[in-house]
Amino acid sequence: MANHKGLISDVDLRSRENNSAHHTREIDQKRLIVRRGQPFSITLQCNGSLRPRHHLDLVLHLGKRDEVEIKVQKERGAGDKWWFNQQGAQDEMLLTLHSPADAIIGRYSLAVLLMSPDGRILEKKDKMSFHLLYNPWCKDDVVYLPDETQLQEYIMNEDGIIYMGTWEYIKSTHWNYGQFEDYVMDICFEVLNNSNDALRNSQMDIEQRFDPVYVSRIIAAMVNSNDDRGVLTGRWTEPYSDGVAPYQWTGSVPILRQWSKAGVRAVKYGQCWVFAAVACTVLRCLGIPTRLITNFSSAHDVDGNLSIDFLLDENLNFHCWVESWMRRDDLPKGNDGWQVLDPTPQELSNGVFRCGPCPVTAIKEGNLGVKYDAPFVFAEVNADIIHWIVQRNGQRRKIRVDHATVGRNISTKSVYGDFRDDVTLHYKYPEGSKKEREVYEKAGRRVTDVPSESSEPGRLQLSIKHAKPVFGTDFDVIIEVKNEGDQDAHVQLTMLAMAVTYSSLHRGNCQRQTTTVMVPAHKAQQEVLRLRYDDYAQCVSDDHLIRVKAFVEAPGENEPLLTVTDIPLSRPEVFIQVPGKAFVCEQVKASISFTNPLPVPLKGGVFTLEGAGLLSSTKIHVSGDISPGQTVSIVVSFSPMRTGVRKLLVDFDSDRLKDVKGVTTVVVRKKYRNIFPEITESSHFLPLTFVVWFFC
């Protein structure tokens, strides 16, 4: 480089203005973070004017070792290239950079070169960088989402609701996605950089990051740690003592930060909703509109025949994944829009534990030849269930085919508030409809129906009734046998209550009764199964789920009767109060209380608090035991970091009672301060009063 008096004295990346225009102000206001397909400007402070025939070149680099180099054109090209234009005024030059709508996302290094007429570099400013994200506000970006209300939810909202429980008794839990919290964006790119693809060939991996299909598949693989340096280790049974139990997490940020801080070692532990929530955080942060989905009565088809075989002792509960919005240029028309992505490690996809992206429209229409993993997703929401009974000679007999159980009340948070939207009809036609069966025929072979005699309704009907029990109390379950025949029936009724997890893992039997019941013709007979706290407390899982089965055998019936129901035990709440108004940068206090509802003391109590824009994850241990009926209260002080409508989430756990949640809304305002004294008549000025304010 020739010796030359410096023309460029300073470079202003105009981060505050650019970030505000690019919807990234929540991520950072000091660093430049922009979205592709949308121009941004930087300012050069100059010592004089640009000499005749001299010109500026801009060069971009991507990767830790600058594996990818991009020379920015000086004039607009075909739309698929970076280009810039410049305007000069006195001792400043304004450079406006234009990125293509399919530019590679990532961290860019920027070099500004002053070039001589003969092509020599006279001056170089190169210690500048910025991040480029996907742009769902840009019509030419494949992640473009035209609805601003949806963008505010699926990109900008840092708080979410996850639906859990059973299809009959849906419960909700709040989650802090926190995609704009400090350094979360950096960790998201760290996740990409540690994928197997990136470690094998960094340059090839970076060059593929223009494509959200490619990136979303990487994220789906990297959120679990089964075959890479992934974020979370899954565990579906206790003990969790060498990590954090899945139900204790209330947000993604502590998980991502722990993974990064520990040198990209997997965090223990996650289950489906935790995997899905972390993926939602990463994808929203990168600029891909994403929402979390819960499928109730979700199936897992291990052999690909689109049916599930049950031996009268199993049931289905919920499973979570995410949907991401994108245009699928790699598929035929009709496959754009919401795509299923599942980071929970269930089955291999191209040799890696991940699933998707798979178009939701393809699942509804039974188009299972499209990429990726369509047959597996289809079975999760629309498989038939075959029920078998094992006879005394060891032979299995098919007794019933269930077309309607799998895929119920598929749920996501509404864009209009903290309530549930049912999106079942996005995935399937109405159960039992002709169109729904046509789709199943199109998707795969028809499951053979059971013999005709068992398809006739029997003279006996079996049902289970119960109230909504509270964990820690005794409660009754009513089993009713109804006889619609003309003769009295003598039946053997077996009632079994067992503790299960949400994934239907059996934890132990709580109560079992077998009795002979006489049911008069055209009458119903009820039997009571009493469940005492002392019976179920020893075996109930942390999901607080009791499965009750009733089984009837009667002479003259073609087949035994079975009915099963899952009874969620409700838990108490943590109560939170944040009195007064909250202002950014000023201390506020939260009062938190919890009352022990159990008839036994609680030991090892701990509160965990977090909230995007409010405070980082904080644990507060309770000293001593909490006696039955005792209320424990704490006061926590914190200073909100960002304005807006925020959620403060609290989790309480102890030895006997876990996963007790509380949430409250905190509206954080900007603080205005008077920086000039009032000017009054006593001053040597006109008799006017001026008040000037500025933002904190």
Side-chain angles (χ1 to χ4, degrees):
M1 184 182 299
N3 188 19
H4 180 83
K5 181 181 178 181
L7 173 71
I8 305 169
S9 60
D10 195 16
V11 179
D12 180 5
L13 297 181
R14 301 165 63 98
S15 299
R16 183 179 289 269
E17 299 96 322
N18 286 318
N19 291 6
S20 180
H22 285 249
H23 304 93
T24 61
R25 182 177 58 183
E26 289 288 313
I27 303 177
D28 204 325
Q29 294 192 49
K30 295 180 180 179
R31 295 185 295 169
L32 179 59
I33 304 167
V34 290
R35 299 187 185 274
R36 65 186 193 176
Q38 182 176 341
F40 62 97
S41 298
I42 65 174
T43 302
L44 307 185
Q45 301 293 334
C46 303
N47 298 312
S49 301
L50 190 65
R51 296 172 63 187
R53 300 179 59 201
H54 289 63
H55 66 273
L56 298 177
D57 276 351
L58 303 185
V59 180
L60 304 174
H61 288 95
L62 282 149
K64 289 184 178 180
R65 293 177 292 277
D66 294 342
E67 291 93 333
V68 177
E69 180 178 278
I70 300 170
K71 293 184 178 179
V72 184
Q73 298 178 168
K74 297 183 183 64
E75 58 185 27
R76 185 169 190 168
D80 59 348
K81 303 291 184 183
W82 282 83
W83 64 282
F84 78 99
N85 61 300
Q86 65 188 66
Q87 295 174 288
Q90 298 176 353
D91 56 354
E92 283 189 351
M93 269 191 285
L94 183 71
L95 306 184
T96 301
L97 285 78
H98 303 259
S99 62
D102 62 350
I104 298 168
I105 66 163
R107 181 182 182 275
Y108 284 75
S109 297
L110 169 64
V112 181
L113 310 178
L114 176 61
M115 308 297 295
S116 68
D118 58 359
R120 289 179 295 114
I121 300 175
L122 301 177
E123 189 176 340
K124 182 178 182 180
K125 288 283 186 181
D126 61 354
K127 298 192 181 299
M128 298 170 287
S129 66
F130 63 91
H131 286 82
L132 189 74
L133 306 177
Y134 294 113
N135 192 352
W137 284 270
C138 174
K139 291 183 178 180
D140 296 325
D141 197 318
V142 293
V143 300
Y144 172 63
L145 183 59
D147 188 320
E148 182 62 29
T149 301
Q150 292 189 3
L151 285 167
Q152 290 302 314
E153 179 68 34
Y154 301 138
I155 290 289
M156 302 302 294
N157 195 351
E158 295 182 82
D159 300 301
I161 294 178
I162 302 173
Y163 295 97
M164 308 168 81
T166 69
W167 72 272
E168 297 171 291
Y169 300 98
I170 298 173
K171 68 174 185 176
S172 61
T173 187
H174 287 260
W175 190 270
N176 172 28
Y177 293 122
Q179 66 267 28
F180 303 141
E181 290 286 86
D182 288 347
Y183 304 109
V184 166
M185 181 193 68
D186 304 84
I187 298 172
C188 293
F189 282 109
E190 189 177 10
V191 170
L192 291 177
N193 293 338
N194 280 277
S195 72
N196 288 337
D197 292 57
L199 297 174
R200 276 193 298 265
N201 189 326
S202 177
Q203 180 175 343
M204 185 178 297
D205 170 70
I206 291 171
E207 290 173 345
Q208 291 297 313
R209 293 185 188 177
F210 74 93
D211 182 8
V213 173
Y214 174 83
V215 167
S216 63
R217 276 181 71 73
I218 294 294
I219 297 304
M222 281 295 294
V223 168
N224 73 74
S225 63
N226 280 42
D227 35 31
D228 48 32
R229 298 181 179 181
V231 175
L232 269 169
T233 297
R235 192 176 183 93
W236 281 263
T237 58
E238 294 177 324
Y240 304 116
S241 54
D242 60 337
V244 176
Y247 55 79
Q248 277 190 272
W249 301 113
T250 54
S252 306
V253 178
I255 297 170
L256 290 166
R257 285 176 175 168
Q258 182 178 329
W259 173 80
S260 177
K261 187 176 179 180
V264 302
R265 285 205 308 271
V267 177
K268 302 175 181 179
Y269 290 100
Q271 292 180 15
C272 70
W273 71 92
V274 187
F275 288 112
V278 172
C280 188
T281 294
V282 176
L283 292 162
R284 285 187 183 184
C285 184
L286 296 177
I288 302 175
T290 302
R291 61 187 185 182
L292 195 145
I293 299 290
T294 301
N295 178 38
F296 291 96
S297 297
S298 189
H300 183 172
D301 183 19
V302 295
D303 56 12
N305 67 352
L306 305 182
S307 65
I308 314 297
D309 295 313
F310 275 8
L311 293 176
L312 285 186
D313 63 349
E314 301 169 78
N315 204 357
L316 303 164
N317 273 314
F318 73 90
H319 182 62
C320 294
W321 57 71
V322 297
E323 289 177 358
S324 290
W325 180 273
M326 62 188 74
R327 189 173 74 235
R328 291 295 297 270
D329 292 339
D330 59 324
L331 296 179
K333 288 184 178 180
N335 290 296
D336 299 339
W338 291 114
Q339 312 285 321
V340 172
L341 280 164
D342 192 346
T344 301
Q346 297 185 94
E347 298 292 330
L348 295 173
S349 175
N350 290 358
V352 178
F353 279 101
R354 61 185 169 190
C355 178
C358 173
V360 173
T361 54
I363 299 306
K364 182 170 183 175
E365 299 300 333
N367 298 325
L368 305 192
V370 303
K371 297 184 290 187
Y372 292 87
D373 312 306
F376 181 78
V377 179
F378 182 89
E380 287 188 297
V381 301
N382 213 12
D384 284 345
I385 298 177
I386 308 173
H387 292 267
W388 305 78
I389 186 171
V390 180
Q391 298 173 309
R392 288 184 175 86
N393 61 6
Q395 297 296 311
R396 295 200 310 176
R397 180 163 63 93
K398 186 189 300 181
I399 62 171
R400 182 160 55 96
V401 177
D402 183 347
H403 300 302
T405 292
V406 171
R408 292 188 174 188
N409 291 345
I410 303 174
S411 303
T412 191
K413 178 188 175 297
S414 172
V415 299
Y416 299 109
D418 290 348
F419 50 88
R420 187 179 71 90
D421 269 356
D422 192 301
V423 295
T424 306
L425 293 180
H426 294 188
Y427 283 83
K428 56 204 295 187
Y429 287 95
E431 290 286 0
S433 67
K434 181 181 178 181
K435 185 67 176 177
E436 190 257 353
R437 285 293 106 190
E438 288 176 356
V439 167
Y440 191 86
E441 295 273 9
K442 177 182 178 182
R445 70 175 181 83
R446 173 91 176 175
V447 176
T448 305
D449 284 330
V450 296
S452 57
E453 65 267 22
S454 63
S455 62
E456 301 268 341
R459 63 191 178 105
L460 296 179
Q461 304 293 323
L462 184 61
S463 62
I464 298 175
K465 302 175 181 178
H466 62 89
K468 295 182 179 180
V470 176
F471 182 73
T473 63
D474 302 341
F475 62 96
D476 292 334
V477 179
I478 309 299
I479 291 86
E480 182 177 275
V481 184
K482 188 175 183 180
N483 183 2
E484 297 183 346
D486 296 327
Q487 296 181 349
D488 296 349
H490 293 268
V491 304
Q492 180 173 291
L493 171 63
T494 300
M495 300 169 286
L496 175 64
M498 63 179 66
V500 295
T501 67
Y502 85 91
S503 54
S504 292
L505 294 175
H506 179 241
R507 288 289 308 272
N509 293 341
C510 307
Q511 184 73 273
R512 183 187 182 100
Q513 289 179 205
T514 300
T515 185
T516 300
V517 180
M518 194 281 286
V519 188
H522 303 291
K523 299 283 186 179
Q525 184 69 29
Q526 293 184 340
E527 292 292 322
V528 177
L529 182 66
R530 181 73 168 169
L531 290 174
R532 295 178 172 83
Y533 171 73
D534 291 341
D535 296 327
Y536 65 76
Q538 303 304 317
C539 62
V540 71
S541 75
D542 295 325
D543 297 318
H544 294 81
L545 201 60
I546 300 292
R547 178 166 297 161
V548 175
K549 301 181 180 182
F551 185 72
V552 163
E553 292 182 287
E557 290 292 307
N558 293 324
E559 63 190 51
L561 297 177
L562 172 78
T563 188
V564 181
T565 191
D566 286 335
I567 305 175
L569 305 177
S570 64
R571 278 157 282 186
E573 292 184 29
V574 174
F575 293 97
I576 312 167
Q577 287 186 321
V578 181
K581 293 183 178 180
F583 294 97
V584 71
C585 307
E586 291 195 358
Q587 190 178 91
V588 296
K589 292 183 178 181
S591 299
I592 300 166
S593 63
F594 162 77
T595 301
N596 177 13
L598 301 187
V600 294
L602 301 178
K603 301 178 184 295
V606 59
F607 291 95
T608 303
L609 300 79
E610 71 171 294
L614 296 177
L615 77 167
S616 300
S617 182
T618 303
K619 290 186 181 294
I620 299 175
H621 293 269
V622 178
S623 60
D625 296 350
I626 306 173
S627 302
Q630 179 184 348
T631 298
V632 59
S633 300
I634 60 172
V635 176
V636 180
S637 298
F638 59 92
S639 298
M641 299 166 283
R642 289 184 282 136
T643 60
V645 179
R646 304 290 171 183
K647 289 284 198 304
L648 176 61
L649 310 183
V650 179
D651 171 82
F652 174 82
D653 295 286
S654 64
D655 61 336
R656 290 177 175 265
L657 188 58
K658 300 177 174 67
D659 192 21
V660 181
K661 308 292 188 187
V663 61
T664 194
T665 300
V666 181
V667 179
V668 183
R669 299 167 171 83
K670 293 179 180 178
K671 185 67 174 180
Y672 301 91
R673 286 188 233 160
N674 184 357
I675 61 171
F676 290 104
E678 285 192 346
I679 304 175
T680 65
E681 282 191 72
S682 59
S683 304
H684 299 290
F685 298 99
L686 293 175
L688 297 174
T689 301
F690 297 88
V691 181
V692 182
W693 306 88
F694 77 96
F695 296 126
C696 173

